[in-house]
Amino acid sequence: MFTAYDEKRQLFCLLDQSEVPNDQMKQLVWHCPICEEAVLYRAGGKNRPHFSHYSNSSCAGSAETKEHREGKERLYAWVKTFAEEVEVEKWLPMIDRRADVWFRYRGVHYVFEMQCSPVDRMAIRERTLAYESQSIQVLWVLPAELMKRTATAIYIQEWQQEACFQTGSFPPQLMYLGQQLSIATLSAYMSPRKFIASWSSLPLTPSGFSLLIHDHLSVKNEPKAQLFYKQQSRYGKVKLQTAFSQHVQERLYRYKSPLYLHPAECGWFVPGQVWVSEPPVVWQTYVWLSLIESEQHEFHEWINDELAEVMKWLGMSERQAIRLMSQYVQLLQRLHGQKPNDTLLPTLELSFPKSADEAHRQDRQIYARLPVTFKKTL
Ligand SMILES: [Zn+2]
């Protein structure tokens, strides 16, 4: 930690003080702002001076790694160059959380959360919701060491997907902190762990942050990668392991179709796919069937009927589910020549390809009509 209470219960931040002699600091008594326990001032060696708990502490602030501390320090130094107000390790008693780097920029409150170790994906979601309840936008940042990539793809774990979505960027992006900020923009689904991504990097300069929040408004779709994914799913490469995929297959049996002969309109990437751990072929076939079977003609009526089921099967919040469903319905609208944002649901025809080869031909026709970009307002 970089902050502690001094003997007068004043909050002392090491990152804001440059010249305090170590001997003097070590003689003072310091207390943790979270648990109020006494903490040690540590300085010397390669580490930047910091406060740390005694080894038997159970405080949430006691398990901090060097990596996490260094990430916070770099983010704090950067944010100071452009923010109207900034605080490292800001304590937010209303939500019982300590933000890594809290700041205000153009009147909006943000928090950089540096996540260095794997966590439960629900923890990422809950923390984000807690901040949002205080009108704070969270920007999740991972250390560059966790970046697993090739030139065009990114490999991410579940909790990283969650961080990617929860950052609220659109299209879904994941940020990695090294000497600069590396940003992966996800543009096609390949498997629950692999996405096609494009990469950019942002220098940690005063203008960098406004570029980050303003310049990334649309995602270039990667139809080629998508077609490859569709081809694999046609020829039996998509495994049906989850209860949800079995449920979808059972529904399809009513129409005497195996899943690999799903309609060509199913299985394409929409940006919200990053929130789902089910393959697009599976969940979109589910939605497609639901649209076919629904008596409703308007999107809002249909979603009213379906929301609870979608949330249950896909394990999503209401907000996520509505966003994902509207993205997919809009894709269907475009494919049927309707205007996106039309409130009417597209009229779908109940027919299935008869063979994988026929299906693949149909997929190629759809592929030619896919939108190139997804706009922020989807
Ligand atoms: Zn503590």
Side-chain angles (χ1 to χ4, degrees):
M1 300 185 298
F2 293 116
T3 51
Y5 284 135
D6 66 12
E7 283 149 331
K8 292 175 197 142
R9 245 189 103 79
Q10 298 286 318
L11 197 63
F12 188 93
C13 177
L14 293 170
L15 297 181
D16 292 333
Q17 321 285 332
S18 46
E19 301 288 328
V20 185
N22 279 336
D23 294 350
Q24 200 181 321
M25 290 292 290
K26 279 179 178 161
Q27 279 163 17
L28 296 169
V29 179
W30 301 99
H31 287 92
C32 168
I34 304 176
C35 65
E36 312 257 343
E37 283 169 25
V39 288
L40 283 163
Y41 171 77
R42 288 184 186 272
K46 281 183 190 165
N47 290 349
R48 195 184 210 294
H50 61 277
F51 298 107
S52 81
H53 287 74
Y54 287 89
S55 55
N56 58 356
S57 168
S58 57
C59 173
S62 67
E64 187 176 71
T65 60
K66 182 168 178 267
E67 205 177 25
H68 185 234
R69 212 164 43 234
E70 286 175 354
K72 271 194 298 194
E73 183 185 357
R74 200 171 310 152
L75 287 169
Y76 181 66
W78 177 41
V79 170
K80 271 211 291 197
T81 64
F82 62 81
E84 290 135 25
E85 204 181 336
V86 53
E87 212 173 299
V88 70
E89 296 167 3
K90 184 180 175 72
W91 177 242
L92 300 161
M94 297 287 286
I95 53 172
D96 201 26
R97 288 214 60 80
R98 194 176 56 159
D100 284 345
V101 179
W102 170 95
F103 61 101
R104 187 163 57 86
Y105 175 70
R106 296 190 182 162
V108 180
H109 290 172
Y110 297 90
V111 156
F112 270 122
E113 277 290 320
M114 183 81 196
Q115 187 64 39
C116 299
S117 53
V119 285
D120 185 67
R121 94 183 274 167
M122 288 313 288
I124 300 266
R125 196 175 298 186
E126 280 157 16
R127 284 179 216 168
T128 307
L129 288 173
Y131 284 124
E132 285 180 354
S133 73
Q134 307 299 300
S135 297
I136 298 169
Q137 156 135 38
V138 193
L139 304 161
W140 292 94
V141 181
L142 277 49
E145 291 73 27
L146 290 184
M147 192 156 69
K148 290 207 166 56
R149 60 167 283 190
T150 64
T152 55
I154 182 172
Y155 298 85
I156 51 180
Q157 297 170 15
E158 267 199 355
W159 68 271
Q160 295 167 335
Q161 284 182 39
E162 193 70 30
C164 181
F165 156 63
Q166 294 295 351
T167 290
S169 59
F170 202 90
Q173 292 176 327
L174 205 51
M175 290 182 273
Y176 296 92
L177 184 68
Q179 288 313 311
Q180 46 190 1
L181 214 53
S182 299
I183 303 164
T185 302
L186 279 56
S187 58
Y189 173 98
M190 298 307 281
S191 79
R193 294 283 179 274
K194 183 182 178 189
F195 289 79
I196 298 298
S198 56
W199 293 85
S200 56
S201 57
L202 206 65
L204 303 181
T205 57
S207 58
F209 187 71
S210 67
L211 289 176
L212 177 69
I213 58 174
H214 295 299
D215 255 17
H216 298 269
L217 294 183
S218 65
V219 58
K220 250 189 119 188
N221 211 334
E222 294 287 349
K224 242 186 196 151
Q226 298 208 46
L227 195 62
F228 176 67
Y229 163 74
K230 281 303 295 281
Q231 195 169 6
Q232 288 192 314
S233 70
R234 290 305 187 189
Y235 295 96
K237 296 276 172 58
V238 173
K239 294 189 185 72
L240 304 177
Q241 286 158 327
T242 63
F244 179 65
S245 61
Q246 280 157 20
H247 170 76
V248 174
Q249 180 62 84
E250 278 162 27
R251 278 179 79 158
L252 271 175
Y253 282 146
R254 285 182 223 164
Y255 305 100
K256 303 188 172 55
S257 178
L259 185 72
Y260 78 94
L261 296 180
H262 55 267
E265 292 152 317
C266 307
W268 304 100
F269 181 80
V270 299
Q273 170 61 45
V274 74
W275 318 332
V276 196
S277 45
E278 296 286 345
V281 160
V282 176
W283 71 261
Q284 288 178 17
T285 301
Y286 170 87
V287 176
W288 190 90
L289 287 173
S290 156
L291 288 166
I292 280 272
E293 291 166 5
S294 171
E295 314 255 288
Q296 308 292 3
H297 300 287
E298 298 263 339
F299 177 75
H300 72 271
E301 290 167 340
W302 171 77
I303 194 78
N304 275 348
D305 291 353
E306 284 296 322
L307 191 57
E309 283 285 294
V310 171
M311 286 167 65
K312 183 191 85 181
W313 283 114
L314 300 182
M316 309 183 126
S317 71
E318 185 175 320
R319 182 180 63 140
Q320 291 170 326
I322 291 176
R323 203 164 169 191
L324 183 69
M325 293 304 109
S326 72
Q327 284 179 357
Y328 181 52
V329 166
Q330 287 185 28
L331 179 67
L332 289 174
Q333 286 171 330
R334 286 191 200 205
L335 294 176
H336 286 268
Q338 273 173 253
K339 280 197 198 111
N341 293 325
D342 194 336
T343 59
L344 280 181
L345 296 172
T347 310
L348 305 173
E349 196 188 328
L350 184 61
S351 77
F352 298 89
K354 299 282 177 288
S355 68
D357 289 343
E358 183 192 337
H360 185 57
R361 276 197 300 279
Q362 292 179 3
D363 286 345
R364 292 189 72 88
Q365 288 165 3
I366 295 270
Y367 149 82
R369 281 148 55 199
L370 282 184
V372 178
T373 57
F374 282 93
K375 294 279 186 297
K376 191 188 165 95
T377 50
L378 256 184

